[in-house]
Amino acid sequence: MSEQLKFIVEQLNKEPFKKNFNLVMFDSLEPIQLLQILNDVLAEIDPKQSIDIREEMPEQTVKRMTSLLGMLKYKLQDNMSDVKSFQQGLVTGSKSVIHPILYWLLQRVPDLKKRAYLARFLVKLEVPAEFLHDDIVSDTYHQYEELVEGFKMYHKECEQLRTSGFSTAEIRRDISAMEEEKDQLIKRVERLKKRVESVSNHQWMLKQARQLRMEKEREESLAQQKQQQKNQLFQAEQRVLRSQQQLKEMRQSAADANPESLTRRLEEEIKINTYMVTEKLPKELESLRRTVQYLQKVASEPAMGQANIRELEDRVKSRTWRDINLLIEKKMLRNDPIDDKLTLYRQQASIISRKKESKAEELQEAREALATAEKEMKQRHSQSSPEEEVIRGDELKRLVAKLRSKGTAYKKKRQELSELNAEYGVLQRTEEILRQKHEAVQEKLQAVEDEKGISGYSNTQEELERVSAIKTELDEKKGRTLDDMSEMVKRLNSLIVEKKSALAPIIKELRSLRQRREVTAELSQEYGEKKTQYESCAAGLESNRSQLEQEVKALREEMAQKENQYHYINSMSEVKILRSCCSNGYRNLELYMKNIAEQELLGKKLREEQKMVKENHSANMEQMKMWRDLEQLMECKARCFIKAQNQGSVGHVIQDEAKDMLVL
């Protein structure tokens, strides 16, 4: 509880609440203040809840908060399963009610904000069924449902875009770069158009180039389709092989599936499971418990130094030697010929029990491996698509590397197994030697007892101890059995009383249900009649549907034949047109070659003229300047002459052969 309060106080002191509480202040808040804090947290999740508690009636507050908590899928605690007590706790501002709500809300504020936002659009309005019979209301409600589904789809797309990692800046840069590339391509296309327009028959050439490009694209698409069909064929073959293998296995299993074999197999499985449950698993559980107890004991003890460790080692050695000597003495005192005969059977029983335990462990490991393999196979089938079934190069390399690693591991395990077998042989030989020594000691002990006249003393003493131990154990079992039986009788009596009291209302309901059963019998009879009518109608419709499907299939086959004829005739006409165009192309080629030769001669003449112009450029520029000066001089004389004519009333011009004179 203290951890819960600490978390609530820490979250309320952070953004956006900033309450500056401590544990004492928060714990000493009044109920109305605690309700206001809960309302503030709900307002942070849904802004519509931003209301002052003092200005609202308690019933309205409880109704508003419970509706919002129900929409947010808040679950009541185990100790408060009654809704009325929960609402009463909200009204009174009980800490036992409000603290868990605050803890739950503050743990998942972002998720709850998102859920509250979506609930505004996804919680459907409940319209009574009698209003839906109106056409306008029904159409409006269907439009409302379509809008809700559209909102779901758009919200999913928006979330996918948010989590996809794309940024607007990168998209804008890409758009600007694509626009620049578009402008460059447009300019390039315009330049190419200008260059092509000067060539005769450029439209026909463009058309042929377009057809060539389309045929290449078609060829690429056909190649892709061919590769896809090859992959699909390979996958289908693999599926067929797997299905055949499964069919073979099922047939083999079905061949032996007689009642006796199934019963035998089930009995074996029951025996194995019984052994696992009654013997193996309890032993493992007990060993684990002992290990845990020992580890807890070791962990609870203080740290030990080097001197303590040496002391413990000395104590262990001394106790070990003492126990060994005691066992040797007991063994020397025992001389039971029946026990000597039973030792072989005991050894065999211990060997069989060890083998049984090892086989049970191997069976458990095999079952776990099978379960993990089946789970992994299901996951791969669910994650992989049909196109991903083909093994690629990288995956093949990984598989090869994995197989190599497993091969090396198998070799190591095999070597360890051979070493263990060799060690087992040594231990078996040691056991045989010790058994021989033990038999010799037993013979000596029997001879000593015969000499002293007390033959069979050790065996008799051991038998008496064993019988006394068995007697005490049986007495304890009898006492426990009587106590258990008395407790069981008490439990059974109490259970009988409880069951009778519990069955009383059920018996009453059973009587009412029997009355209903008579009504349902009539309804079931009517249902059988309606069902026979429906099946007859369905059979007639099914026959009509099969006839229509056959007609549609025949029409589709006829349409496919007609399409094949149309494509064949169209391709033959295109071939004829191309052949005629090729014959005209050879004639045009000669004209083009002749025009090219004439244009080359003309270009040669123009280059020579350009060379002459470059050589005489400076002299021509000077001559051009002189002509311009002469032109200006002539224009000046012309203006003077015009001016003299206009001023003829003031004076006259005297012209002589040598000079012109103006007399005023």
Side-chain angles (χ1 to χ4, degrees):
M1 194 67 181
S2 60
E3 296 294 332
Q4 187 176 0
L5 288 176
K6 285 181 183 178
F7 179 78
I8 294 170
V9 171
E10 288 176 0
Q11 295 298 320
L12 290 175
N13 291 335
K14 293 179 181 178
E15 290 285 346
F17 305 106
K18 291 184 178 180
K19 297 295 182 180
N20 294 324
F21 285 143
N22 54 26
L23 291 174
V24 178
M25 290 174 62
F26 182 75
D27 195 40
S28 61
L29 289 175
E30 295 181 358
I32 190 68
Q33 295 175 342
L34 201 59
L35 269 176
Q36 186 62 47
I37 290 171
L38 177 59
N39 192 77
D40 293 341
V41 175
L42 293 175
E44 178 63 25
I45 294 170
D46 188 4
K48 292 182 180 179
Q49 308 295 324
S50 182
I51 298 171
D52 192 355
I53 297 294
R54 294 170 294 184
E55 298 176 358
E56 191 179 24
M57 297 296 292
E59 293 81 6
Q60 296 177 356
T61 303
V62 171
K63 185 178 179 181
R64 178 172 55 81
M65 288 185 177
T66 51
S67 63
L68 181 59
L69 290 172
M71 184 181 66
L72 298 177
K73 296 182 180 179
Y74 174 72
K75 295 181 180 179
L76 299 179
Q77 292 182 340
D78 296 335
N79 57 1
M80 190 175 292
S81 59
D82 190 5
V83 179
K84 291 184 179 179
S85 61
F86 176 74
Q87 292 178 353
Q88 188 66 28
L90 278 179
V91 172
T92 58
S94 176
K95 295 180 182 179
S96 60
V97 175
I98 295 177
H99 285 177
I101 297 173
L102 286 172
Y103 181 71
W104 186 80
L105 292 174
L106 293 172
Q107 274 183 329
R108 42 182 72 83
V109 172
D111 296 336
L112 295 178
K113 279 184 178 180
K114 183 178 178 182
R115 186 175 292 172
Y117 167 73
L118 294 175
R120 292 167 52 194
F121 305 100
L122 297 182
V123 175
K124 293 185 178 180
L125 299 174
E126 294 183 359
V127 180
E130 56 269 16
F131 293 130
L132 291 175
H133 294 298
D134 190 0
D135 295 336
I136 298 173
V137 176
S138 179
D139 294 339
T140 307
Y141 189 72
H142 286 308
Q143 290 178 3
Y144 166 71
E145 288 181 343
E146 290 175 358
L147 289 173
V148 169
E149 295 297 328
F151 175 77
K152 288 180 182 179
M153 182 177 65
Y154 293 139
H155 180 71
K156 286 180 182 178
E157 292 178 357
C158 181
E159 290 295 326
Q160 289 176 359
L161 290 173
R162 284 178 181 173
T163 57
S164 60
F166 292 110
S167 62
T168 55
E170 292 179 356
I171 294 171
R172 286 174 182 171
R173 285 198 297 270
D174 293 340
I175 291 171
S176 60
M178 291 170 71
E179 287 178 352
E180 290 177 358
E181 291 179 359
K182 181 182 176 183
D183 295 335
Q184 292 176 2
L185 289 172
I186 290 170
K187 291 178 182 178
R188 188 175 178 185
V189 169
E190 289 177 354
R191 288 198 300 270
L192 290 172
K193 281 183 178 180
K194 290 178 181 178
R195 289 176 61 185
V196 171
E197 284 176 357
S198 61
V199 180
S200 60
N201 294 330
H202 65 278
Q203 293 292 338
W204 179 80
M205 291 182 179
L206 289 173
K207 185 177 179 182
Q208 297 299 321
R210 192 179 298 112
Q211 289 180 358
L212 178 62
R213 180 175 53 79
M214 292 172 65
E215 291 297 329
K216 284 185 177 179
E217 290 177 355
R218 186 180 174 188
E219 184 181 1
E220 290 177 358
S221 65
L222 290 173
Q224 290 178 359
Q225 291 177 5
K226 184 179 179 182
Q227 186 63 32
Q228 290 177 0
Q229 289 177 0
K230 283 183 178 179
N231 293 335
Q232 291 174 1
L233 179 62
F234 178 74
Q235 294 167 10
E237 289 176 353
Q238 294 294 325
R239 286 196 292 272
V240 168
L241 290 174
R242 287 197 295 271
S243 301
Q244 289 177 354
Q245 185 66 27
Q246 291 176 0
L247 180 61
K248 186 177 179 182
E249 291 175 356
M250 291 175 69
R251 284 177 178 173
Q252 288 178 358
S253 61
D256 300 331
N258 50 4
E260 291 80 6
S261 62
L262 292 174
T263 307
R264 197 181 308 112
R265 196 178 303 165
L266 288 172
E267 288 177 353
E268 290 177 357
E269 290 182 359
I270 290 167
K271 287 179 181 178
I272 292 169
N273 293 328
T274 306
Y275 170 73
M276 296 285 288
V277 171
T278 57
E279 295 184 16
K280 187 175 184 301
L281 293 177
K283 287 180 181 178
E284 292 180 356
L285 185 62
E286 188 64 29
S287 65
L288 290 173
R289 284 176 181 170
R290 286 198 298 269
T291 305
V292 170
Q293 290 176 0
Y294 177 72
L295 292 173
Q296 288 177 352
K297 184 179 178 182
V298 171
S300 62
E301 291 180 356
M304 299 175 67
Q306 194 68 26
N308 295 328
I309 293 171
R310 289 199 197 94
E311 184 180 356
L312 286 174
E313 288 178 352
D314 295 336
R315 288 170 60 187
V316 167
K317 287 180 181 178
S318 61
R319 185 170 292 180
T320 304
W321 284 110
R322 188 167 62 251
D323 293 340
I324 290 169
N325 293 327
L326 288 172
L327 290 172
I328 291 170
E329 289 175 0
K330 286 182 179 180
K331 194 71 175 176
M332 291 175 68
L333 292 173
R334 288 169 54 192
N335 189 12
D336 190 359
I338 299 173
D339 196 9
D340 292 338
K341 293 179 181 178
L342 291 175
T343 52
L344 180 62
Y345 298 106
R346 288 175 183 171
Q347 291 173 2
Q348 291 178 356
S350 63
I351 291 168
I352 290 169
S353 63
R354 285 197 296 270
K355 286 184 179 180
K356 194 174 181 181
E357 290 177 357
S358 64
K359 293 298 180 184
E361 290 177 357
E362 290 177 1
L363 178 62
Q364 189 174 1
E365 291 175 357
R367 284 180 177 176
E368 292 176 356
L370 180 62
T372 54
E374 288 179 352
K375 186 177 179 182
E376 186 178 358
M377 185 178 69
K378 288 180 181 178
Q379 289 178 356
R380 290 190 177 182
H381 277 299
S382 61
Q383 293 175 0
S384 64
S385 60
E387 298 179 355
E388 295 179 353
E389 291 184 1
V390 182
I391 298 175
R392 305 296 180 187
D394 297 336
E395 189 175 358
L396 185 61
K397 290 180 182 178
R398 287 196 295 271
L399 287 173
V400 171
K402 191 175 180 181
L403 287 172
R404 287 177 180 171
S405 62
K406 286 186 177 181
T408 54
Y410 168 74
K411 290 179 181 177
K412 289 180 181 178
K413 297 293 183 184
R414 191 172 180 181
Q415 186 177 1
E416 291 176 1
L417 183 62
S418 62
E419 292 174 357
L420 290 172
N421 288 328
E423 188 175 358
Y424 171 74
V426 173
L427 292 173
Q428 196 173 9
R429 177 61 180 164
T430 306
E431 183 184 6
E432 189 177 354
I433 293 168
L434 291 174
R435 191 183 296 113
Q436 292 176 1
K437 289 182 179 179
H438 175 67
E439 290 174 357
V441 170
Q442 289 291 334
E443 289 175 0
K444 289 180 181 179
L445 181 61
Q446 189 176 2
V448 170
E449 286 178 355
D450 292 333
E451 288 177 359
K452 300 295 182 179
I454 53 171
S455 60
Y457 172 77
S458 59
N459 296 330
T460 306
Q461 186 179 2
E462 186 177 355
E463 188 68 19
L464 288 172
E465 290 177 356
R466 188 166 61 81
V467 169
S468 63
I470 291 170
K471 184 177 180 299
T472 54
E473 187 176 356
L474 288 172
D475 293 334
E476 289 176 359
K477 284 184 179 180
K478 286 179 182 178
R480 287 198 299 270
T481 304
L482 292 172
D483 295 333
D484 293 336
M485 288 175 70
S486 61
E487 289 177 0
M488 188 180 294
V489 169
K490 291 179 182 179
R491 278 203 309 273
L492 288 172
N493 290 328
S494 62
L495 281 172
I496 288 166
V497 174
E498 290 175 359
K499 294 295 182 182
K500 282 182 179 179
S501 61
L503 287 171
I506 296 172
I507 291 168
K508 292 180 181 179
E509 291 179 0
L510 182 62
R511 290 173 183 171
S512 62
L513 289 172
R514 284 177 179 172
Q515 294 176 359
R516 292 180 185 176
R517 183 183 175 186
E518 295 176 358
V519 178
T520 54
E522 297 176 358
L523 292 174
S524 62
Q525 185 178 1
E526 186 178 358
Y527 167 75
E529 294 174 358
K530 298 293 184 182
K531 186 177 180 182
T532 53
Q533 293 177 4
Y534 166 75
E535 288 176 352
S536 62
C537 183
L541 292 174
E542 186 68 20
S543 62
N544 293 331
R545 186 177 67 83
S546 61
Q547 291 177 1
L548 290 173
E549 284 179 352
Q550 291 176 0
E551 291 177 1
V552 169
K553 186 176 180 182
L555 290 172
R556 283 182 178 175
E557 291 176 355
E558 186 178 356
M559 184 180 70
Q561 292 177 1
K562 296 296 184 182
E563 284 180 355
N564 291 331
Q565 291 177 3
Y566 167 75
H567 288 306
Y568 177 75
I569 294 167
N570 193 10
S571 60
M572 292 302 294
S573 62
E574 288 178 358
V575 169
K576 289 180 181 179
I577 292 167
L578 288 173
R579 286 179 179 174
S580 61
C581 291
C582 290
S583 61
N584 293 327
Y586 288 116
R587 297 172 186 172
N588 293 328
L589 182 62
E590 294 177 357
L591 294 174
Y592 289 153
M593 295 299 291
K594 187 176 180 181
N595 291 330
I596 288 167
E598 292 176 356
Q599 293 297 323
E600 285 179 353
L601 292 173
L602 181 60
K604 188 175 181 181
K605 290 179 181 179
L606 291 173
R607 284 195 293 274
E608 290 176 357
E609 290 178 0
Q610 184 181 9
K611 185 178 180 182
M612 291 174 64
V613 168
K614 286 181 180 179
E615 289 176 354
N616 300 325
H617 178 67
S618 59
N620 290 333
M621 291 298 292
E622 291 178 359
Q623 188 176 4
M624 186 176 177
K625 186 178 180 183
M626 291 171 68
W627 278 106
R628 284 177 182 170
D629 294 338
L630 179 61
E631 184 179 2
Q632 290 177 1
L633 182 60
M634 295 301 292
E635 288 176 356
C636 184
K637 283 186 176 183
R639 286 196 299 270
C640 291
F641 179 76
I642 293 167
K643 189 177 181 182
Q645 284 182 352
N646 292 331
Q647 294 178 357
S649 61
V650 180
H652 62 277
V653 179
I654 300 172
Q655 293 183 352
D656 196 4
E657 294 178 358
K659 58 184 178 180
D660 295 335
M661 295 178 64
L662 178 62
V663 180
L664 298 174

